[in-house]
Amino acid sequence: MDRTKRIAVVGGGISGVSILNRLVNHTPGRRYKIDIYDSRESMGHGQPFREDSEHLLINVPFDGMSLSDDDEDFKKWMTEKGCRPVQHPPRALFGEYVEDFLNDLLKHENVQPVYAYVTNVLIEKDGYLVQTETEERYYDAVFLAVGQMDYNDPYQLKGKKRYIHNPYPVNEKLHQLKGKIGIVGTGLTAIDCIRHLIHEEGASELYVFSRSGELPSVRGMECQIQLKYFTAENIKKELHRGLVPLQHMIDLFKKELSEHQINTSLFDRQTGDAHQDLSFDLEHADEVGKLQYLIIEANPVMTEGFHYLSRSDKKVFMEKYHPLIDENHSPMPDSSAEEIISWIEDGMLKMFNDMEDVDYDGGFTVSAGGQKVETDVLINATGPLWKVEEDDSPLLKNMLENYIVESADFGGIIVDQTRRVISPRYGTMNRFYALGALSVNVDYLSASVNILNDYSKMLVEDFYKREEGFDE
Ligand SMILES: Cc1cc2nc3c(=O)[nH]c(=O)nc-3n(C[C@H](O)[C@H](O)[C@H](O)COP(=O)(O)OP(=O)(O)OC[C@H]3O[C@@H](n4cnc5c(N)ncnc54)[C@H](O)[C@@H]3O)c2cc1C
């Protein structure tokens, strides 16, 4: 008699839960036993949506976030729970929705949670040995969905007293900090820290350091954009021997901007003066919104286009154009921008650009823009690592060591177009997939919930098609 086949989903965050949902709800799903691995506190939440301060808000309007094929699923869940509908609810609330979603999936008798971190995946016979600190189990297929890597440590301060390397959960890590508080970085993590410290911890003075002084843009007015020139079809027409020159893509993108009367100078609007930049976006919500919604619409085309760039074009793109796209891709809610402006005006937020270095002698001396500023506490808000070889987690270290995975040029590990892992030792691995921060090499600009939820469908369909000859 055939034994029941087994699948491991490693990571119980957005990608893991979404993959599990697709696996269970495809017709062949009932024939497999499926385990989903994560720690007890993160299972069904993922890092960004864990229980934490209510001042950490989702940065995509709630109707753009769902784990089902119904875009309104989260909205309906909120209505059922009697939540007040706001455009940007707390991230922890979305985490509760994901947990409920997972709990429904766990009612299937062939699905089990395993509350442990995976430390290694090894190849054995025709399958995979998944190890944790205490046990190992054999699987026929593995889906890696472990999320972003550890935080960057640009000033080598990890482990120093009163240096907060990873500020989440902020309601624990940023509770009752004493003395002068500095924050390194001006991205969405810095905004989380600032809002929490001022609203919940009563901070009256915060020192914010960065290299460029540029904050994320402010979400502008929503608008419908239909792409005419910057389309996957038009990019594919330029394909020659598997590649499209970057300049051809830029030309198509510029044509698209011009079609919607969007001035390219909007990409240069950031001056590094936070007050001025946020005020500009709030005052030009129409124009800025048009640009942001065009980028959202163009997101899948950019992801596909990125596959067709040569290595050197990718490098140019990442250095020159990606920061401009990124600034406008994950904007902050306008309410957060208004607060930040008023805190700068009241002298509560002191912003320092051109950060160069930090000296540590029990306290921190930050050199920025020719000034030296001393703080007692320093919070790292510089974002995650993107090179797998720099990450300290046992899973990635072990898989790299054993040549199961290989680091990719522009982040994550090497995977093929269907997100199957390409191993330097074993080649393209059937029944071994990666999604999320690890597949960023082919998933340029694809970290948001809805995109991951779409991609999980593609992975699972590919898996069932190969395994079962099954195609819905
Ligand atoms: C601060 C922040 C805010 C964000 N806000 C939004 C937003 O509002 N809207 C939006 O669309 N996107 C947002 N994003 C983007 C976000 O990255 C994705 O939406 C999503 O959380 C990524 O899903 P994931 O499953 O890949 O990673 P995660 O959701 O982080 O899940 C990965 C899971 O894997 C687990 N794990 C890690 N290693 C192991 C291991 N070895 N064994 C077992 N389990 C492991 C982790 O504990 C974690 O639970 C935000 C990102 C960040 C960092």
Side-chain angles (χ1 to χ4, degrees):
M1 207 175 74
D2 280 353
R3 68 173 176 81
T4 307
K5 289 192 175 170
R6 296 168 60 99
I7 301 174
V9 178
V10 182
I14 302 306
S15 303
V17 173
S18 177
I19 288 169
L20 180 66
N21 176 40
R22 310 289 185 189
L23 284 168
V24 169
N25 288 312
H26 253 69
T27 311
R30 279 166 242 130
R31 295 203 287 274
Y32 291 82
K33 273 195 175 304
I34 309 168
D35 291 341
I36 180 162
Y37 287 80
D38 208 325
S39 63
R40 212 169 261 283
E41 57 284 4
S42 292
M43 181 75 86
H45 294 267
Q47 298 300 337
F49 304 105
R50 284 196 325 189
E51 200 184 324
D52 203 344
S53 165
E54 63 180 48
H55 300 291
L56 312 190
L57 306 179
I58 64 169
N59 56 24
V60 177
F62 66 79
D63 46 2
M65 286 174 65
S66 161
L67 274 189
S68 95
D69 285 331
D70 173 3
D71 285 348
E72 306 245 297
D73 201 46
F74 176 43
K75 188 174 168 186
K76 288 177 187 160
W77 179 91
M78 284 201 290
T79 313
E80 272 168 32
K81 294 267 162 188
C83 301
R84 196 167 57 89
V86 284
Q87 276 280 35
H88 298 277
R91 289 210 295 276
L93 188 69
F94 186 75
E96 276 182 46
Y97 156 77
V98 181
E99 193 178 9
D100 272 6
F101 198 92
L102 173 66
N103 285 338
D104 278 345
L105 295 171
L106 294 177
K107 287 180 187 149
H108 293 258
E109 58 181 24
N110 59 331
V111 180
Q112 288 295 326
V114 183
Y115 295 109
Y117 254 43
V118 170
T119 52
N120 202 1
V121 177
L122 293 161
I123 312 302
E124 188 160 289
K125 296 183 204 134
D126 202 17
Y128 303 91
L129 204 58
V130 170
Q131 298 180 324
T132 65
E133 268 186 4
T134 55
E135 62 166 15
E136 57 184 31
R137 295 186 192 185
Y138 178 85
Y139 293 95
D140 299 279
V142 174
F143 289 82
L144 279 183
V146 292
Q148 66 179 36
M149 282 169 267
D150 190 11
Y151 279 81
N152 244 312
D153 183 20
Y155 303 101
Q156 288 84 49
L157 293 166
K158 193 175 173 181
K160 301 276 189 264
K161 210 168 163 205
R162 312 194 79 194
Y163 177 68
I164 301 173
H165 176 64
N166 171 355
Y168 296 107
V170 296
N171 58 10
E172 275 172 33
K173 303 267 190 72
L174 308 190
H175 186 46
Q176 292 188 344
L177 299 177
K178 299 224 162 35
K180 219 163 142 180
I181 303 172
I183 299 172
V184 184
T186 46
L188 292 170
T189 303
I191 292 164
D192 280 348
C193 297
I194 292 169
R195 296 190 73 246
H196 176 76
L197 285 166
I198 292 182
H199 283 298
E200 288 299 315
E201 298 287 327
S204 56
E205 214 168 49
L206 295 172
Y207 296 77
V208 183
F209 307 99
S210 73
R211 290 198 182 117
S212 70
E214 293 183 357
L215 279 88
S217 62
V218 185
R219 188 168 288 277
M221 261 337 194
E222 186 172 351
C223 67
Q224 297 293 329
I225 297 274
Q226 196 159 7
L227 298 176
K228 189 168 171 193
Y229 299 105
F230 191 72
T231 62
E233 294 72 43
N234 283 346
I235 286 181
K236 278 195 210 139
K237 278 187 206 153
E238 310 272 342
L239 259 174
H240 181 62
R241 295 179 181 153
L243 294 175
V244 177
L246 175 61
Q247 194 52 49
H248 290 202
M249 289 196 207
I250 304 284
D251 291 345
L252 286 172
F253 190 71
K254 283 191 175 160
K255 221 167 154 187
E256 193 68 62
L257 290 174
S258 147
E259 171 69 15
H260 301 279
Q261 289 103 45
I262 299 171
N263 199 323
T264 49
S265 64
L266 268 187
F267 280 112
D268 298 321
R269 69 190 186 282
Q270 292 242 7
T271 62
D273 177 325
H275 187 284
Q276 190 176 324
D277 292 344
L278 297 178
S279 306
F280 180 95
D281 280 13
L282 287 170
E283 284 157 21
H284 298 83
D286 262 358
E287 286 169 66
V288 170
K290 237 200 237 181
L291 174 63
Q292 290 164 344
Y293 282 88
L294 186 141
I295 289 175
I296 289 173
E297 207 50 43
N299 192 340
V301 186
M302 289 188 196
T303 305
E304 183 166 351
F306 194 71
H307 299 170
Y308 305 134
L309 294 177
S310 67
R311 197 181 289 256
S312 52
D313 271 352
K314 276 187 181 171
K315 196 162 179 287
V316 172
F317 177 81
M318 289 311 285
E319 282 169 10
K320 190 168 167 195
Y321 298 103
H322 168 70
L324 304 176
I325 300 291
D326 201 33
E327 265 163 28
N328 293 289
H329 181 258
S330 301
M332 71 175 96
D334 52 358
S335 53
S336 301
E338 279 158 7
E339 283 177 333
I340 291 173
I341 289 175
S342 74
W343 292 330
I344 294 175
E345 285 171 355
D346 294 346
M348 292 164 76
L349 276 186
K350 302 192 185 305
M351 316 288 290
F352 296 86
N353 300 351
D354 302 319
M355 178 171 178
E356 287 147 24
D357 208 357
V358 183
D359 280 333
Y360 177 77
D361 59 358
F364 303 89
T365 306
V366 183
S367 311
Q371 300 184 63
K372 290 206 184 295
V373 183
E374 297 193 345
T375 71
D376 301 295
V377 177
L378 202 58
I379 301 169
N380 181 22
T382 59
L385 294 166
W386 56 275
K387 287 187 179 170
V388 281
E389 60 273 26
E390 290 176 4
D391 188 81
D392 273 342
S393 78
L395 176 61
L396 287 176
K397 273 205 165 331
N398 287 330
M399 289 194 304
L400 277 173
E401 172 70 12
N402 297 335
Y403 294 103
I404 305 289
V405 298
E406 186 58 66
S407 164
D409 282 357
F410 299 94
I413 58 174
I414 301 183
V415 295
D416 74 359
Q417 301 299 335
T418 53
R419 285 62 172 174
R420 284 181 302 167
V421 172
I422 301 178
S423 157
R425 174 159 285 159
Y426 299 96
T428 305
M429 316 261 269
N430 279 327
R431 296 177 269 112
F432 191 15
Y433 293 82
L435 182 64
L438 287 186
S439 65
V440 67
N441 153 45
V442 295
D443 287 335
Y444 171 68
L445 219 60
S446 303
S448 62
V449 170
N450 274 12
I451 296 181
L452 292 171
N453 194 40
D454 284 348
Y455 288 178
S456 70
K457 190 171 181 194
M458 177 180 67
L459 259 70
V460 170
E461 280 177 357
D462 183 75
F463 168 68
Y464 281 139
K465 204 164 155 187
R466 287 176 199 279
E467 286 306 292
E468 311 271 339
F470 183 89
D471 204 359
E472 259 185 354

